[in-house]
Amino acid sequence: MSGWDEGAVYYSDQAQFPRDGNSDPSTTTPSRHSVLVKFKEFIRGFETEKGVYPYRESLVQNPRHLVVNLEDLDGFDPELPAKLRASPADYLPLFETAAGEVLSGLKPKVATESGEMEEPVSGDVQILLTSKEDPISMRSLGAQYISKLVKITGISIAASRTKAKATYVTLLCKNCRNVKTVPCRPGLGGAIVPRSCDHIPQPGEEPCPLDPWIMVPDKSKYVDQQTLKLQENPEDVPTGELPRNILVSVDRHLVQTIVPGTRLTVMGIYSIFQAANSSTSHKGAVAVRQPYIRVVGIEEVNEANSRGQAAFTAEEVEEFKKFAAQPDAYQTICSKIAPSIFGHDDLKKAVACLLFGGSRKTLPDGVRLRGDINVLLLGDPSTAKSQFLKFVEKTAPVAVYTSGKGSSAAGLTASVIQDSSSREFYLEGGAMVLADGGVVCIDEFDKMRPEDRVAIHEAMEQQTISIAKAGITTVLNSRTSVLAAANPPSGRYDDLKTAQDNIDLQTTILSRFDLIFIVKDVRRYDQDKQIASHVIRVHASASATSGESKSSKEENWLKRYLHYCRTQCHPRLSEAASKKLQTEYVNIRQNMRQQANETGVPAAIPITVRQLEAVIRLSEALAKMRLSHVATDEHVKEAIRLFTVSTMDAARSGVNQQIHLTPEMANEIQQAETHIKRRVGIGSYISERRLIDELTRMGMNESIVRRALLIMHQREEVEYKRERRVIIRKA
C-alpha cells in the first residue's frame, strides 16, 4: 500500500459516517506528497549502470534545466509516466519542485550572517521531457487530447519576439491597501483575480467595493515566453490540402533557441486559450476556445537524424556496406534513378551525384565551401525533364518543388510578414529555407523574372540567404542543391544558333551550376523505335499491381541508402586524384582559351574555379555512393567525364560562324546569298520554307542556304518574323 508511512491520519471506514466515494483523495489517487517523494527518488537514485547517476550529475552541472527521458522514468516506476501523460499540468510542477529540492540537497550548505549553516536557496529547475514514441500527426489532434501530453513534428515557420509572462501577480486593494499574491496559469492563460477584498472592515470604516484590486507590476514575478508557429512537414500533407499550422508556446530556457525554418519534434501539453481578437463569427460563442501547445520538451531534427527513422538497424547497415562493396554499385544506383525514363544515362548519373552530394567543408578561417551539387537541364520539350524533377522530389530526404512562373523572390527566399494580432513583423522562410539540407527542384527556370532569379544567386553559392527588410536584418541557412529545368528561348533547341542564343541565361547564374545538360530530342529511327516500345510497355504494364509494391520498396531502399551515405560518409580527395584534377583543369582552361582565340567569341558557359570545385564535389559524391572515405583517380576520371559530356559539351554546342569553312563552301554560301538577294527585294518578305524550296530546286544544298540565311541574319541584312517562319529583307 503506497503512501502508508506518510504521516497522514488514517481511520477505518465506519458505517455511521457515510460519505461520498471520491471525497477522500488518498483512496483513489496517491497523494501529491507521495508522488513528489517518488520524483525525488528518481532524480537521486536512477542509475544507468553501476554507480552512474545521470540525472543527479546533469542537475549539478546544469542547475537551470533537466532533460528527462520518459523511458527511464517508465523503467523506474511505470505509474509516473502514465500520470504525466494523463495530467501533465498537475504533475510537471511537482516534478520541478522535486528537482529544486534535490538540487538544494546536493549543494553544500552556506553560512548565514548569524553563523548558522543552512541550505542554499535553489532557483527553479525547468524539466524538459523527451521520449522515443512516434509523433502523432497535427491533423489528428482533437478534443480527446486536450490537457494531455502530445508529441508532434513540423517546421517552425515563424517566431515572435520574447515577452515577459507573469507567474505570480501582486494585487493591491485600492481601499484598504491590502496586498495579495495570485498565481497565474501557465502557458497563454491569465491570472484569476478575485472580485472582492477579504479584508473585514472595522466599525465606522467603509467596506471595500467590488473589484478593488489594482495590479502592481514591479512586485510580480516573471518568466520569458515566446510563441512559435509550427507547420506540418510538406511530405505529411495529404494531396490537395493546405498545410495546417498550430500555435506553440515556449518559456524559460527554450526561448530564442529556435529560428524559422527549423524542423522540430515537440513534446507538449495540448491546451486551449481564449483568443483576444477571435474572429467576429466566434464573438458570440462563449465556449469556443483556440488550441495551442505548451512545450515541455523540444528536439531539433537536424540533418543527421532528419526525416524518418534515423536509427539504422545493424542488418540494414550490414546490407548497405555489402551493397557498397559490389563492383557495380554505381551502375545499380544509376539504374534505380527514374527507372521509367528511357535512356539519358549520363543525366541519371548526374542526378545520382546530386542526391548524394559532396562533402561540406568549413575552413579554419570560418569560410564555408558548399558540398551540394547544382544541375541545370536545358532542352527540348518532351525530353522528360519535369519527370526527373518529380522523381528527385520523391526520392530526396528533403525536397521542395516549385515552378518558375509561380514563384517570386520572396517565396523562394524569405518574406517579412506582419502579425495580425500584435502588429509586429516576423520572418517566414520560403522554399530555399524550408528545403535546408535537401533539394529544391525549379521547373520552367527560364520563365522566371530576372529579378527573382537574382535572389537565388546567394543561396546557390554561399548557401545562406540574407534579409534586410522592415527592421529585420538576419542571415538564414539554405544548404540546398538546386535542380533546375529550362527550355531554350525559342522553345526548341536550335542547332543553327550559337550557344549564347540557345542558352538565354546570364553567365553569373550559369557558373553556379556544376553540371549543365543539353537534352536534345534527336530523331533517329532505331532509338525512336526503342523509346516507343518502352513508353508503350510502361503504359501497358502500369496497372500490374505486383510491380508497384516492389518499386515502392526499392524507392524506400534507395531513400534509406541515400540517407545513410549522407550522414555517415564525408570523403576527401587523395593525393594522386588531386594532381590529376589539377592538370585536367589547366588543360580545359587552355582549350577554352584557344577556342575563344580561334572564333573570337568567348564561350557561352564560362569555365572558372567554380567548375573546378564542381568536379571535386562530383568526385566526392561518386566516392560517397561507394561509402569510400577517399575519392580516388577513378572517381575523378568519372567526374571529369560527366563534366565533359554535360557542361563542356554545352559550352561547345551550337554553331560557330567560322566552322572550318573550306574555300568551296565559302564560295557556295556567297552564291546562295546572291540568289537570296535577287529573289527577295529590300522591304519585301517571303516564307522561309518557300525560299529554301525554290533555291533547292535550282540545285543548291539546303544546309548551305540555311547557313547563308544565318550569316545574313547576323549581319542584320534579313530579319525573322512570326516565329521565324517569315523572312523580311532589310536595307
Side-chain angles (χ1 to χ4, degrees), residues 343-510:
H344 293 311
D345 293 331
D346 289 328
L347 186 45
K348 287 183 182 177
K349 287 173 181 172
V351 169
C353 289
L354 171 126
L355 286 169
F356 282 89
S359 25
R360 187 174 298 130
K361 306 172 190 71
T362 310
L363 304 184
D365 58 352
V367 174
R368 286 187 186 157
L369 300 179
R370 76 181 160 105
D372 297 305
I373 296 169
N374 302 326
V375 178
L376 172 67
L377 316 178
L378 186 95
D380 297 341
S382 88
T383 45
K385 296 191 297 292
S386 302
Q387 290 296 333
F388 270 115
L389 267 65
K390 283 288 180 199
F391 173 81
V392 168
E393 185 206 7
K394 282 198 189 69
T395 315
V398 185
V400 174
Y401 180 92
T402 78
S403 169
K405 199 70 188 150
S407 36
S408 63
L412 282 170
T413 53
S415 49
V416 175
I417 291 177
Q418 192 169 20
D419 190 9
S420 54
S421 56
S422 61
R423 317 289 300 156
E424 65 184 33
F425 291 103
Y426 63 86
L427 269 184
E428 261 188 25
M432 301 290 267
V433 179
L434 294 183
D436 189 15
V439 185
V440 178
C441 304
I442 306 176
D443 209 351
E444 309 289 352
F445 192 61
D446 53 322
K447 318 279 190 304
M448 281 175 75
R449 293 193 297 277
E451 56 269 25
D452 293 342
R453 211 181 294 139
V454 170
I456 45 181
H457 280 197
E458 184 194 5
M460 281 174 68
E461 192 56 55
Q462 276 72 40
Q463 302 218 306
T464 56
I465 286 170
S466 24
I467 290 267
K469 299 178 185 170
I472 296 177
T473 315
T474 179
V475 175
L476 304 169
N477 279 331
S478 71
R479 295 161 297 208
T480 60
S481 310
V482 176
L483 176 60
N487 292 99
S490 56
R492 292 188 72 90
Y493 195 85
D494 193 341
D495 282 320
L496 285 174
K497 284 183 166 179
T498 56
Q500 241 124 353
D501 295 339
N502 269 321
I503 306 171
D504 194 24
L505 295 169
Q506 289 173 332
T507 315
T508 45
I509 193 123
L510 285 179

Side-chain angles (χ1 to χ4, degrees), residues 598-601 656-661:
E598 281 174 12
T599 59
V601 179
N656 295 325
Q657 295 91 36
Q658 288 80 6
I659 308 185
H660 319 298
L661 285 183

